[in-house]
Amino acid sequence: MKTMSITILFWLLSMLLLSEENQTSKTEVKCNSTAKNYSLIPANINKNVTILDLSYNQITLNITDTRVLQTYFLLNELYLIENKVNILLNNCFSNLSNLEILNICRNSIHTIQEGAFTGLHKLKKLNLCQNKIVQLNPDTFLPLKNLILLNLHGNLISYFDVPQLFHLEFIILYGNPWNCSCSLLNLQNWLKTSNVTLENESITMCSYPDILKCYNIKTVPYKAECYSKFPSSITEDLHIHFQSIYNSTFNNSLNNLTRNSEHESHGKSWAFLVGVVITVVMTSLLISVAIKCPVWYNILLSYNHHRLEEHEAETYEDGFTGNPSSPSQIPDTNSEETTVIFEQLHSFVVDDDGFIEDKYIDTHELREEN
């Protein structure tokens, strides 16, 4: 019974293995279209293709090629070796979410847009060897969360910022004109401290300065001044500036780090100057207001005068002479105050100014009667 059960178990396991092999053989669809002199990616390929080799053609990977390529969404491997590709456009592989191997070596690629590798979350091997790449933005590799191998040999790269590739295990950098000045210190530290293996390390040599040509980029000795120029806390920010702007602007950004105190003093001097100007302006306004006040008072007082109508003058004369209360009943103080007020009012009147005066009123006779 035991032997019978063991044989049945082995038979079941063998059947499972055979079924898995059959399924893999069924799902793996290869298409070899090498050296067909294609100028465009053909659109009549089986849509279930998983391995597509279009090497040794005339494909440029333009917008039309990108649209056709999106239809092969089951691709696991894509080979475009030795074609006519110059630029990797944004989202040119965005629909190839199952792609694991991408080989675009031996083209003429000089520009890789930042979103060129968007959607390649499962990509494990990226080969960009023997192209004309001069600079690479580290943000270009951010979508490649599972990348294991990065091949950049045989390009024109002299400086390379550290990419954020946490699963990277192998990197190939030989055949580039590496500038082993202080700007490459961050890359060297990353190669020494991370678990990434630098393939062909012994031939990944410095191109300049001349005195460092005998060193590879991982063992080149750096002077202490390089460590002072590139402290670890700001290295990444400075390298980003180095890629995006000219060297002069980069040096200015370094100098700004040591001139913060000078900028603060300049800011205080400007604030003091503005305060002085405001004080002077306000003082001048106050002085001008103080000078103009008497003039405005006279203008306001003269504006209050108005011409007497003829019937107003007769009414005033009748009211003054025909007062029902006799002068003897009015105290002396009131008559004097009335006379003084009347004289003060006439003192403001300029002669011959057109106002009607009552010349029949004699103030001396009024005083004698009182």
Side-chain angles (χ1 to χ4, degrees):
M1 292 294 293
K2 291 183 178 179
T3 56
M4 189 69 177
S5 61
I6 291 172
T7 54
I8 292 172
L9 182 61
F10 275 110
W11 181 77
L12 290 173
L13 290 174
S14 61
M15 291 297 293
L16 288 172
L17 291 174
L18 288 173
S19 63
E20 288 181 357
E21 289 179 359
N22 290 331
Q23 287 179 358
T24 54
S25 62
K26 288 180 181 179
T27 56
E28 188 177 275
V29 179
K30 295 182 180 180
C31 180
N32 189 348
S33 298
T34 59
K36 299 288 186 179
N37 202 24
Y38 288 145
S39 59
L40 295 172
I41 296 178
N44 56 355
I45 300 175
N46 186 357
K47 301 302 179 184
N48 295 323
V49 63
T50 58
I51 301 175
L52 179 59
D53 192 350
L54 294 169
S55 301
Y56 311 106
N57 284 288
Q58 308 294 322
I59 297 171
T60 59
L61 206 60
N62 55 22
I63 296 176
T64 303
D65 292 330
T66 301
R67 292 174 181 172
V68 175
L69 194 61
Q70 306 301 330
T71 60
Y72 306 129
F73 54 88
L74 295 177
L75 276 177
N76 292 325
E77 301 178 18
L78 177 61
Y79 299 92
L80 292 167
I81 302 169
E82 200 167 324
N83 277 273
K84 301 294 182 180
V85 182
N86 295 321
I87 300 175
L88 293 182
L89 301 173
N90 287 327
N91 302 309
C92 57
F93 308 107
S94 59
N95 203 34
L96 307 182
S97 57
N98 295 311
L99 196 65
E100 296 182 1
I101 298 175
L102 177 60
N103 193 329
I104 325 178
C105 287
R106 295 202 293 275
N107 281 270
S108 301
I109 300 173
H110 56 81
T111 302
I112 300 178
Q113 296 184 359
E114 187 173 338
F117 302 129
T118 300
L120 300 180
H121 304 296
K122 294 183 180 180
L123 193 68
K124 295 180 179 179
K125 296 180 181 180
L126 177 59
N127 292 281
L128 296 170
C129 55
Q130 294 180 328
N131 282 284
K132 297 180 181 179
I133 303 170
V134 178
Q135 282 187 338
L136 279 171
N137 189 338
D139 295 337
T140 305
F141 302 103
L142 287 178
L144 309 179
K145 304 295 184 182
N146 295 301
L147 192 66
I148 296 175
L149 170 66
L150 178 60
N151 186 355
L152 293 172
H153 89 83
N155 282 279
L156 302 174
I157 304 171
S158 60
Y159 167 82
F160 184 61
D161 199 2
V162 177
Q164 299 296 325
L165 299 173
F166 301 104
H167 295 281
L168 193 66
E169 297 179 7
F170 304 97
I171 189 169
I172 304 173
L173 299 174
Y174 72 93
N176 287 282
W178 293 108
N179 179 6
C180 294
S181 60
C182 294
S183 60
L184 208 64
L185 175 62
N186 196 29
L187 176 62
Q188 187 189 77
N189 291 335
W190 178 69
L191 292 173
K192 288 181 177 180
T193 57
S194 66
N195 296 323
V196 179
T197 300
L198 178 62
E199 295 287 321
N200 304 106
E201 176 182 337
S202 60
I203 59 174
T204 309
M205 307 299 291
C206 299
S207 295
Y208 49 93
D210 293 337
I211 58 175
L212 299 177
K213 284 185 176 181
C214 57
Y215 295 96
N216 64 61
I217 64 173
K218 192 173 180 179
T219 61
V220 60
Y222 286 105
K223 297 180 181 179
E225 61 183 13
C226 290
Y227 293 91
S228 62
K229 287 182 179 179
F230 294 91
S232 58
S233 61
I234 60 172
T235 301
E236 294 181 2
D237 293 334
L238 294 180
H239 284 169
I240 292 172
H241 282 287
F242 184 82
Q243 285 186 343
S244 60
I245 56 178
Y246 294 102
N247 291 331
S248 60
T249 310
F250 175 74
N251 293 329
N252 290 333
S253 64
L254 283 176
N255 294 331
N256 289 335
L257 296 176
T258 59
R259 294 179 180 177
N260 290 331
S261 60
E262 295 180 2
H263 288 297
E264 291 178 359
S265 61
H266 288 307
K268 292 180 180 179
S269 63
W270 276 105
F272 177 76
L273 180 60
V274 171
V276 171
V277 171
I278 292 174
T279 303
V280 171
V281 172
M282 294 300 295
T283 304
S284 301
L285 288 174
L286 290 175
I287 292 173
S288 62
V289 169
I291 293 173
K292 294 292 183 180
C293 272
V295 177
W296 293 342
Y297 177 76
N298 292 333
I299 293 172
L300 181 62
L301 190 61
S302 62
Y303 177 78
N304 289 332
H305 291 170
H306 62 279
R307 296 178 180 273
L308 291 175
E309 300 291 338
E310 292 184 0
H311 63 88
E312 289 182 355
E314 294 175 357
T315 304
Y316 179 79
E317 181 180 357
D318 294 339
F320 185 80
T321 57
N323 192 3
S325 60
S326 61
S328 58
Q329 295 178 357
I330 300 175
D332 294 336
T333 56
N334 293 336
S335 62
E336 291 178 358
E337 290 176 358
T338 302
T339 305
V340 171
I341 291 171
F342 186 79
E343 289 178 353
Q344 288 178 353
L345 289 173
H346 280 272
S347 64
F348 289 98
V349 180
V350 184
D351 294 337
D352 299 332
D353 57 354
F355 288 93
I356 300 173
E357 297 182 1
D358 193 351
K359 299 181 180 181
Y360 296 98
I361 299 174
D362 191 355
T363 56
H364 295 287
E365 293 179 359
L366 290 173
R367 288 180 183 178
E368 291 177 357
E369 291 177 358
N370 290 334

